[in-house]
C-alpha cells in the first residue's frame, strides 16, 4: 500500500529521486505473520520427526485402560438386567393375566368368548410360545457365570429381547381379545384391561432396559476402538507421507517470506 506520493503527473524527476513511500507498518505486519506461520510449521515438523513423548503415550494408554475397564463393568451387570426382566415378565404372564387364560401350561384357552375367531385361535398358540420362550431364557441365564465371555453376554442380551418380545406379543393380542370380548360385563372388562396394561408396561420396561444396555455396550466398544487407534498412532509415529507433507508446508512458509 502506498503511504505518500512525492510527485505529480508531468513532473520532471531526477535519478534516484524518491517518487513515493510505501506503508512499512502493513508490510512489517505481514512479514511478522509469515514468520509466525513458518515457526509454527517448523515446530510441527520437529514434533513429527521426534515422535510422541513417553508421557503422551502413557496418557493414551491410561485412556485405553479406562475404556476397557468401563466396557468390562458394562458387561458385568448385563446378565442381572436380563434376569430382572425375565423374573418380572414371568410374574406378569403367570400371575397378572391368570384370570384371562385357563390351563396356561397344558391347554391354554381364553376364559371368555370373543367375536373374532382368529383371536381365539391365536391366544393358545401365543401362550404356548411365550411359555417356551420364558423357559428357554431361564435356561440361558442358568449357564451364565462370572467368567462368561463377552460374546456370550451379547447373545444373552439379544435373546432376552427376542424372548421377552414373544411375551409382549401375547399381551398385545390379549388386548385385541378384550376389544372383541362377547360376554364380559363392563367392570370385569375394565379389570382385565387394567391387568393386561400393567403386564405390558412391565414387559416393555424389561425390553427397554435390555436394549439400553445393548446400546451402552455398543457405544463403549467404539470408545475402546478409538482409544486403541490413538495408541497405535502414538506408538507408530509419523508416516513418511506425513513428514513429506509437513516439509512441503515449511518450504511454502519460507517462500512467503522471501
Amino acid at each position: 500500500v502506498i503511504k505518500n506520493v512525492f510527485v505529480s503527473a508531468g513532473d520532471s524527476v531526477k535519478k534516484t529521486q524518491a517518487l513515493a513511500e510505501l506503508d512499512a507498518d502493513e508490510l512489517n505486519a505481514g512479514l511478522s505473520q509469515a514468520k509466525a506461520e513458518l515457526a509454527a510449521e517448523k515446530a510441527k515438523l520437529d514434533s513429527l520427526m521426534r515422535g510422541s513423548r513417553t508421557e503422551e503415550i502413557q496418557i493414551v494408554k491410561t485412556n485405553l485402560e479406562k475404556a476397557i475397564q468401563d466396557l468390562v463393568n458394562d458387561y458385568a451387570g448385563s446378565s442381572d438386567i436380563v434376569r430382572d426382566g425375565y423374573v418380572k415378565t414371568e410374574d406378569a404372564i403367570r400371575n397378572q393375566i391368570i384370570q384371562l387364560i385357563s390351563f396356561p401350561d397344558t391347554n391354554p384357552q381364553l376364559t371368555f368368548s370373543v367375536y373374532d375367531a382368529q383371536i381365539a385361535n391365536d391366544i393358545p398358540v401365543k401362550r404356548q410360545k411365550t411359555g417356551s420362550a420364558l423357559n428357554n431364557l431361564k435356561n440361558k441365564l442358568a449357564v451364565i457365570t462370572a467368567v462368561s465371555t463377552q460374546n456370550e453376554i451379547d447373545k444373552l442380551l439379544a435373546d432376552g429381547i427376542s424372548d421377552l418380545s414373544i411375551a409382549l406379543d401375547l399381551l398385545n393380542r390379549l388386548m385385541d381379545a378384550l376389544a372383541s370380548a362377547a360376554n364380559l360385563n363392563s367392570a370385569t372388562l375394565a379389570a382385565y384391561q387394567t391387568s393386561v396394561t400393567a403386564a405390558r408396561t412391565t414387559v416393555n420396561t424389561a425390553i427397554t432396559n435390555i436394549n439400553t444396555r445393548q446400546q451402552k455396550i455398543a457405544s463403549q466398544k467404539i470408545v475402546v476402538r478409538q482409544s486403541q487407534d490413538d495408541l497405535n498412532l502414538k506408538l507408530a509415529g509419523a508416516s513418511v507421507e506425513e513428514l513429506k507433507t509437513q516439509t512441503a508446508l515449511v518450504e511454502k512458509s519460507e517462500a512467503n517470506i522471501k
Side-chain angles (χ1 to χ4, degrees), residues 48 100 114 124 129 135 161-162 180 183 186 196 214 228 235 249:
L48 289 174
L100 284 74
V114 292
K129 286 181 63 177
N135 285 334
I161 291 177
S162 177
S180 181
N183 61 340
S186 58
V196 176
Q214 270 189 322
Q228 184 64 65
L235 293 174
L249 291 174

Side-chain angles (χ1 to χ4, degrees), residues 86 90 93-94 104-105 125-137 166-167 170:
Y86 159 75
E90 177 82 4
I93 296 300
R94 296 197 179 279
D105 295 320
V125 175
K126 291 182 181 297
R127 178 58 183 85
Q128 289 177 331
K129 286 181 63 177
T130 296
S132 296
L134 292 176
N135 285 334
N136 288 339
L137 186 56
I166 292 173
L170 166 65

Side-chain angles (χ1 to χ4, degrees), residues 145-205:
T145 67
V147 295
S148 293
T149 67
Q150 292 183 353
N151 286 339
E152 289 171 337
I153 298 297
D154 285 336
K155 188 174 188 311
L156 177 67
L157 291 169
D159 289 344
I161 291 177
S162 177
D163 291 336
L164 297 187
S165 294
I166 292 173
L168 183 61
D169 184 50
L170 166 65
L171 295 172
N172 289 336
R173 201 56 171 151
L174 275 176
M175 287 300 285
D176 294 338
L178 291 172
S180 181
N183 61 340
L184 294 178
N185 61 50
S186 58
T188 301
L189 176 61
Y192 284 2
Q193 288 173 331
T194 297
S195 295
V196 176
T197 298
R200 283 204 304 184
T201 299
T202 296
V203 180
N204 261 321
T205 300

Side-chain angles (χ1 to χ4, degrees), residues 82-96:
V82 178
R83 184 171 288 103
D84 180 71
Y86 159 75
V87 170
K88 291 179 177 177
T89 299
E90 177 82 4
D91 176 72
I93 296 300
R94 296 197 179 279
N95 298 322
Q96 290 181 258

